[in-house]
């Protein structure tokens, strides 16, 4: 039997729990579930504090992804789904969260999540997700002021990076570091379209370029692409990046360099920002409901 | 004026003998597309889009040039009329860059790069989203065999003060010429032929040499991006107010009530909720249009709604919100359900 090809694009799926919090003492328990095109996250908050989350790949059907992520976040907590007072679904598959009480757009959730994750000084959020990226400007309460998204395709997004990791046989978590190991920054690949960039990269490899240099050229093309998006929407300090690409130092450092701004360091996994925002919306909705 | 009776699309109405069918229809809020006509000008009679069908008459007639007669039965939207309009529109578009009309990304495009790989000369002009020709073409529909646009390298003049001209975008409707001579009484413009295409040009080469007063009334009536003022600096306030806006294709909004909501299919799509001034309050992507609307029936802020069926409703929702933002510089106000949460 043929050996299964190694999947370099695969990133670690994991769950996390804050051991210092006893959820049984909490008054309001809320959850946010972000079903994206590439990854799904479930976040559980106890009285507005992050208690547990899970981050995994989106399966072939959204309802199961949402349930799987939620079950994993609940794992080991002793909590049951019925203990959660309110759940908000978000992301591109947000209406397919069967146990959600309400769906909220991912733009609003990422804004709110970034506000929690990075503090109230954040004004510009760049969400680099699996299939699109959005430049969002927010106020001190985490409310969206304006946003702009790339409207086209996987160009300059997480899925594009996965394709590249596989092409170059570099584990995806090492892509960023590796792309920085170049003496001189190469010119960005001329196309950010995944299909064309892949062809171009294959050509570069054939010309004898080391992997590091090809990755540098791709990371910088990606950075370049989102910069134009950011600048059209306007950039104001503080600046933060959410979404999976936020973990790729190769792209982040290039964006920072070109923008002349340092991105804030995240308190948690940048991928959970959307689900986190969802859980915060859920809490606010519960409170609004009880006030009435 | 002597009054006569006629019917348009089955609606009986009274009109002055001799007024044009186009004017009568507009008075009655019946939309007939027309691009060479403008409310402030005599019709040009050259676009052919305003054709209508008369009962008992074989040939279609132009509504702008046909006078009302007693007992006339006019039909503005028959299959024959629609087909003819499409053909006329195809002829106009054959000589006007139309990537903006055929591109799948035309709405919500970030304009930072072109994903359809259109050659730079033929890309969307600054009027994208705010273009009369674009709106009318969308209303009429674009024929599958619309000729491919070939760039003719006609002059693009950006050197003159206040007004930019791009002859490649001119469709020869002649509105600007009529505005300049008939309304403003200056007559700095005329029609001429350039590579077999009719375009409006200054009489003596440059605008300045042709007696142009740079009032930019021509810019205000241009249905395309052929005439553009530089950052809206010309066209003094009172003059801008005096120039009418041409009627636009009707929007498909519905009155927000239980009866209309029940007619909406229970499928995936995007909703726009509007207030009594038809201002968009919220844009909502949903897996079930009818159910989502039902949740808001009690909401008194909402007077009208628009829906479209769209399986990719989440991305379509983002597109529409982004378009709204670009147009108004802010997000939709909301319908109150998410207010004061934080």
């Amino acid at each position: 039997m043929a050996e299964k090809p190694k999947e370099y694009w695969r990133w670690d799926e994991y769950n996390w729990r804050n051991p210092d919090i006893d959820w049984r003492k909490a008054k309001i328990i809320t959850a946010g579930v972000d079903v994206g095109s590439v990854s799904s996250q479930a976040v559980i908050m106890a009285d507005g504090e992050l208690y547990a989350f899970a981050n995994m790949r989106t399966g072939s059907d959204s309802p199961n992804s949402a349930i799987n992520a939620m079950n994993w976040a609940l794992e080991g907590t002793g909590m049951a789904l019925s203990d959660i007072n309110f759940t908000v679904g978000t992301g591109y598959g947000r209406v397919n969260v069967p146990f959600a009480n309400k769906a909220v757009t991912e733009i609003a959730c990422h804004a709110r999540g970034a506000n929690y994750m990075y503090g109230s000084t954040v004004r510009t959020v760049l969400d680099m997700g699996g299939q699109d990226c959005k430049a969002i400007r927010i106020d001190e309460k985490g409310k969206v002021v304006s946003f702009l998204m790339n409207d086209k395709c996987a160009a300059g997004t997480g899925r594009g990076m996965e394709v590249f990791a596989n092409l170059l046989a570099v584990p995806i978590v090492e892509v960023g570091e590796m792309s920085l190991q170049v003496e001189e920054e190469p010119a960005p690949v001329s196309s950010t379209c995944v299909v064309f960039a892949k062809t171009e990269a294959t050509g570069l490899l054939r010309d004898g370029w080391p992997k590091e240099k090809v990755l540098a050229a791709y990371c910088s093309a990606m950075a370049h692409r989102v910069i134009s998006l950011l600048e059209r929407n306007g950039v104001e300090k503080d600046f933060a990046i959410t979404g999976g690409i936020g973990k790729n130092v190769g792209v982040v450092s290039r964006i920072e360099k070109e923008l002349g701004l340092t991105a804030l360091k995240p308190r948690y996994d940048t991928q959970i920002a959307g689900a986190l925002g969802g859980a915060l919306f859920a809490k606010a909705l519960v409170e609004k409901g009880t006030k009435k | 004026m002597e009054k006569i009776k006629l019917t348009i699309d089955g609606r009986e109405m009274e009109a002055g003998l001799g007024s044009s069918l186009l004017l009568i229809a507009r008075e009655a809020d019946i939309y007939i597309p027309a691009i060479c006509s403008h409310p402030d000008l005599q019709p040009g009679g050259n676009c052919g889009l305003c054709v209508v069908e008369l009962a008992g008459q074989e040939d279609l007639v132009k509504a702008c040039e046909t006078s009302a007669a007693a007992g006339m039965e006019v039909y503005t939207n028959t299959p024959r009329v629609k087909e003819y309009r499409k053909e006329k529109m195809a002829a106009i578009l054959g000589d006007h860059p139309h990537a903006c009309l055929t591109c799948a990304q035309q709405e919500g495009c970030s304009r930072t790069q072109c994903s359809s790989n259109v050659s730079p000369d033929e890309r969307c002009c600054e009027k994208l989203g705010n273009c009369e020709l674009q709106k009318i073409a969308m209303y009429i529909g674009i024929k599958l065999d619309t000729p491919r646009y070939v760039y003719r390298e006609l002059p693009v003049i950006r050197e003159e003060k206040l007004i930019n001209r791009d002859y490649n975008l001119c469709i020869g409707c002649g509105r600007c010429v009529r505005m300049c001579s008939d309304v403003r009484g200056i007559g700095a413009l005329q029609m001429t032929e350039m590579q077999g295409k009719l375009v409006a040009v200054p009489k003596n080469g440059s605008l300045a040499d042709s007696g142009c007063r740079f009032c930019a009334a021509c810019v205000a009536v241009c249905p395309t991006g052929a005439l553009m003022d530089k950052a809206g600096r010309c066209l003094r306030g009172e003059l801008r107010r005096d120039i009418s806006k041409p009627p636009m294709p009707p929007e498909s909004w519905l009155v927000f009530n239980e009866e209309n909501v029940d007619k909406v299919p229970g499928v995936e799509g995007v909703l726009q909720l509007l207030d009594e001034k038809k201002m968009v309050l919220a844009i909502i992507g949903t897996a079930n249009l009818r159910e989502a609307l039902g949740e808001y029936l009690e909401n008194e802020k909402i007077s009208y709604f628009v829906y479209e069926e769209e399986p990719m409703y989440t991305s379509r929702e983002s597109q529409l919100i982004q378009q709204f933002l670009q147009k108004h510089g802010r997000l939709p106000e909301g319908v109150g359900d998410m207010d004061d949460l934080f």
Side-chain angles (χ1 to χ4, degrees), chain A residues 32-37 39-43 56 58 65-66 69 88-94 97 106 109-110 127 271-276 278:
Chain A
V33 182
D34 181 357
V35 181
S37 59
S39 67
S40 297
Q41 294 81 22
V43 161
M56 62 199 299
T58 297
S65 305
V88 162
T90 185
Y92 123 106
R94 63 174 173 264
V97 184
E106 59 270 28
C109 284
H110 267 273
D127 167 33
Q271 278 183 284
I272 67 163
L276 198 56

Side-chain angles (χ1 to χ4, degrees), chain B residues 248-265:
Chain B
M248 284 294 163
E251 310 237 355
S252 52
W253 47 262
L254 297 161
V255 177
F256 190 59
N257 57 29
E258 219 168 317
E259 191 190 335
N260 279 337
V261 169
D262 278 346
K263 285 184 204 152
V264 176

Side-chain angles (χ1 to χ4, degrees), chain A:
Chain A
M1 213 173 84
E3 200 185 327
K4 205 179 159 205
K6 200 166 172 211
E7 294 168 315
Y8 292 96
W9 52 264
R10 206 172 265 286
W11 36 269
D12 285 339
E13 302 176 303
Y14 71 107
N15 62 356
W16 174 92
R17 177 158 50 98
N18 185 345
D20 301 332
I21 293 181
D22 181 3
W23 65 269
R24 286 175 182 85
K25 288 183 187 152
K27 286 190 198 73
I28 305 173
I29 295 170
T30 60
V33 182
D34 181 357
V35 181
S37 59
V38 167
S39 67
S40 297
Q41 294 81 22
V43 161
I44 303 169
M45 289 186 111
D47 284 338
E49 284 297 315
L50 180 63
Y51 169 59
F53 70 80
N55 179 11
M56 62 199 299
R57 263 194 103 72
T58 297
S60 54
D61 72 309
S62 300
N64 268 340
S65 305
I67 292 166
N68 292 344
M70 196 65 197
N71 284 341
W72 210 19
L74 288 169
E75 199 178 272
T77 61
M79 192 191 286
L81 196 57
S82 56
D83 292 319
I84 298 170
N85 302 98
F86 204 95
T87 302
V88 162
T90 185
Y92 123 106
R94 63 174 173 264
V95 191
N96 284 323
V97 184
F99 46 88
N101 304 82
K102 194 173 173 64
V104 177
T105 70
E106 59 270 28
I107 307 152
C109 284
H110 267 273
R112 196 72 61 188
N115 175 273
Y116 179 89
M117 196 143 126
Y118 296 95
S120 60
T121 58
V122 181
R123 290 292 173 278
T124 308
V125 181
L126 176 65
D127 167 33
M128 298 189 72
Q131 74 168 11
D132 60 13
C133 67
K134 301 185 186 77
I136 313 172
R137 286 178 61 195
I138 62 175
D139 65 10
E140 74 287 349
K141 285 179 167 173
K143 197 177 164 205
V144 180
V145 179
S146 78
F147 85 98
L148 206 57
M149 69 169 185
N150 85 313
D151 25 28
K152 313 272 150 72
C153 53
T157 63
R159 182 58 199 147
M161 195 54 95
E162 289 184 354
V163 169
F164 251 71
N166 232 19
L167 174 76
L168 299 172
V170 176
I172 191 142
V173 286
E174 292 168 23
V175 164
E177 270 309 327
M178 204 168 191
S179 79
L180 293 175
Q181 290 159 16
V182 282
E183 281 167 20
E184 204 182 328
E185 184 79 5
V189 290
S190 61
S191 175
T192 40
C193 169
V194 179
V195 183
F196 293 139
K198 206 174 151 183
T199 317
E200 203 172 332
T202 318
L204 293 175
L205 288 172
R206 209 176 294 131
D207 285 348
W209 279 38
K211 280 179 188 178
E212 291 81 359
K213 207 168 156 190
V214 178
L215 283 175
Y218 187 65
C219 288
S220 98
M222 200 183 265
H224 200 72
R225 190 187 141 90
V226 295
I227 292 284
S228 70
L229 193 72
L230 276 169
E231 282 176 349
R232 270 168 52 86
N233 194 39
V235 182
E236 201 186 330
K237 282 212 292 186
D238 290 341
F239 168 64
I241 304 178
T242 63
I245 297 285
K247 295 190 261 188
N248 182 319
V249 286
V251 178
V252 173
S253 65
R254 284 177 175 92
I255 294 175
E256 288 178 330
K257 204 170 144 197
E258 224 175 303
L259 215 55
L261 270 179
T262 313
L264 293 178
K265 295 281 163 284
R267 273 160 69 195
Y268 313 100
D269 189 329
T270 52
Q271 278 183 284
I272 67 163
L276 198 56
L280 288 164
F281 266 109
K283 177 172 177 275
L285 285 163
V286 169
E287 282 169 347
K288 195 184 175 189
T290 49
K291 259 185 239 164
K292 267 180 194 166

